[in-house]
Structure formats: structure tokens, C-alpha cells
Amino acid sequence: MQANDVRVLKGAAVPTLVVGLLAALIAVFTTGAKGALGAGIGLVLVAAFFTIGLIVVSWAGRVSPMAMMAAAVLGYVVKVLAIMAMLKAFEDTTAFDSRVFALSVIGCTLAWTVGEMRGFMKLKMLYVEPEAKAPGQGHG
């Protein structure tokens, strides 16, 4: 990963961690240990999925802008479907509070998305290369 990618990862991971831990703390007092476990599992799930997604998009960005866009769109679809599948798979579990799990996934996903957007907006990246020549321009 490049330095910019690490900054974006940190910018997304920190608020997600805060939201996830806050969800676990609230869950301990409202639903007990099973709620805290559900919130913790939700935090880990979101952090893992979105970190992998960011790494894949970062790698694809080094290949080409088209590969980066394809990886971002495909990654988004895969993450949404996988999280929906996990929510469905755990909806009837008794090992942890599935409602708190679902709320934690939603809260952590929102925190990650906002943090990632903020991280990208803070980067000082050029949209064009100042020294690049446009196709068809002469060498003189």
C-alpha cells in the first residue's frame, strides 16, 4: 500500500473502531454480554471486509484507472451481498444478539464510509499530470 492509501485506511478505521466500541459499550448495559459480543463481531466483520476492499482497489489503481473503477464497483457489490448474507445467516443465532450485530454492522459501515470519504477528500492528489502531453500534440 502507498502512503496515501494508508492515510485513507487510518481515516476510515479509526472512526469505525470508535463507533464499534461505543456500540459494544452501549450493548453491555442494554442487552448484556451477548449484545456486546454481537457488536464486536459486527465491528470485526466491517473492518475486515472494508480493509480488504481498500487493499484490492489500491492494488487495482496501480494497474490502471479502469481496473481501479472495476475493482471499486465489483468490490462494493460483493461487500453489500456478503454483509447481507452474514446478516441473514446470523438472524436467528442465540450465541449473540443478532439485532445488536445488525445495528453495529450498519453503524460501522456508515462510520467507515464517512471516514473513507473524508480521508480521500483530505488527500492532496492531482487530478491531471502537469507534465503529461495530450495525444496528438507535437514534440516542439
Side-chain angles (χ1 to χ4, degrees):
M1 286 186 106
Q2 297 176 349
N4 286 341
D5 299 327
V6 173
R7 276 183 260 171
V8 171
L9 178 62
K10 182 180 173 186
V14 170
T16 303
L17 181 63
V18 170
V19 168
L21 292 177
L22 186 61
L25 184 65
I26 291 169
V28 164
F29 294 111
T30 58
T31 59
K34 285 187 176 188
L37 180 60
I41 293 170
L43 168 62
V44 169
L45 177 72
V46 169
F49 279 18
F50 282 85
T51 299
I52 291 167
L54 188 60
I55 290 169
V56 168
V57 169
S58 173
W59 171 81
R62 283 183 265 141
V63 173
S64 78
M66 290 296 287
M68 183 173 146
M69 185 62 181
V73 171
L74 184 62
Y76 177 77
V77 170
V78 168
K79 284 186 279 194
V80 167
L81 292 175
I83 288 175
M84 286 173 49
M86 295 294 244
L87 290 173
K88 185 68 176 160
F90 290 124
E91 75 179 343
D92 294 325
T93 187
T94 57
F96 56 86
D97 190 319
S98 61
R99 186 167 191 267
V100 174
F101 168 72
L103 291 172
S104 174
V105 165
I106 292 167
C108 289
T109 298
L110 291 172
W112 184 282
T113 302
V114 170
E116 193 173 42
M117 287 187 324
R118 184 173 179 268
F120 276 118
M121 289 189 313
K122 288 177 68 175
L123 292 179
K124 304 292 187 221
M125 294 179 63
L126 298 174
Y127 290 88
V128 295
E129 295 179 38
E131 301 297 320
K133 296 206 186 287
Q137 285 184 337
H139 296 294

